[in-house]
Amino acid sequence: MSSIDLTILGFLQKKPMSAYELTRLFEFKRVQKWVKIGSPTIYQNIKKLAAKKYLTGKTVKEGEMPEKVIYSITKSGRKHFLELMNRFSANPGKIFFNFNALIANLSLVDKETALEMLQDLKMSFTRSKDDVDNDFAQLPDVLIEGKAIMKLYRMIFRDMIKWIDELTENYQNKG
């Protein structure tokens, strides 16, 4: 199951475009803030989706510009899109955080070091929340769905900060 494929197919369902145009649109809509995706991945996945006949490409030349391939979603691509939508709605996936390993091993360092590490983690969560808040404030015309995703991240980071405060308090009171 690929959230990248689902995202690409969804955007191309709205309008055929080149890989470059899709990359620029993802940057403008800040898609990389909610789907782990970068320009090379977009190009690779478009080629993969085209090879599987989920996309067709038409080479066009506009004026003096170099040729480009405009990708459109096919009937089988729309079917695959719906399959992915159904899979993600039925099984959104598990959430794992890399910092879980840090938390699991906090008792193996002295209390002062553990508290410093928790403070560093809180600062990281706070920076991430501030980034999301800033993006949210700067993009009032973003898609309803994009706003919903950004609101989810705001809530997650807010709750993570509360959680780390509680964990820090527990460590401070620890004997």
Side-chain angles (χ1 to χ4, degrees):
M1 225 174 16
S2 171
S3 60
I4 295 169
D5 289 351
L6 180 58
T7 305
I8 290 170
L9 290 170
F11 273 85
L12 289 176
Q13 234 174 208
K14 296 172 189 169
K15 175 187 168 194
M17 61 186 97
S18 70
Y20 175 77
E21 291 167 322
L22 189 62
T23 300
R24 299 294 297 161
L25 184 59
F26 279 17
E27 289 171 5
F28 175 74
K29 300 274 187 185
R30 305 204 186 207
V31 172
Q32 71 280 8
K33 296 281 186 175
W34 38 274
V35 175
K36 190 173 181 179
I37 191 168
S39 297
T41 307
I42 294 169
Y43 285 89
Q44 291 167 2
N45 283 51
I46 283 178
K47 287 181 181 181
K48 180 184 75 170
L49 291 166
K52 291 181 178 181
K53 308 289 188 216
Y54 296 142
L55 300 176
T56 58
K58 180 181 176 185
T59 303
V60 297
K61 182 161 177 54
E62 297 172 352
E64 297 297 316
M65 300 297 292
E67 289 183 343
K68 63 181 175 180
V69 179
I70 302 295
Y71 292 94
S72 300
I73 191 166
T74 63
K75 184 176 180 179
S76 64
R78 281 191 268 296
K79 182 180 177 192
H80 185 60
F81 170 80
L82 285 174
E83 289 168 357
L84 289 173
M85 291 287 284
N86 284 320
R87 283 189 214 157
F88 276 103
S89 66
N91 181 13
K94 298 186 185 317
I95 298 174
F96 296 100
F97 297 110
N98 290 336
F99 65 83
N100 287 348
L102 166 77
I103 301 302
N105 288 294
L106 272 178
S107 63
L108 301 176
V109 298
D110 63 86
K111 182 177 177 179
E112 183 180 323
T113 301
L115 289 168
E116 287 174 13
M117 291 174 173
L118 290 172
Q119 185 61 33
D120 289 344
L121 192 56
K122 179 181 178 178
M123 287 174 47
S124 177
F125 293 161
T126 301
R127 280 191 303 274
S128 295
K129 182 190 166 296
D130 291 346
D131 286 347
V132 171
D133 287 345
N134 186 43
D135 287 342
F136 191 82
Q138 289 182 14
L139 296 172
D141 61 340
V142 73
L143 296 170
I144 292 170
E145 297 87 349
K147 276 189 171 183
I149 292 166
M150 293 173 80
K151 282 182 180 181
L152 173 63
Y153 278 115
R154 289 169 88 183
M155 290 180 346
I156 289 170
F157 286 123
R158 184 191 66 228
D159 288 345
M160 289 170 93
I161 291 166
K162 286 181 189 175
W163 169 80
I164 202 80
D165 284 342
E166 290 173 15
L167 182 57
T168 300
E169 185 177 328
N170 289 339
Y171 256 84
Q172 288 169 336
N173 296 332
K174 183 178 169 184

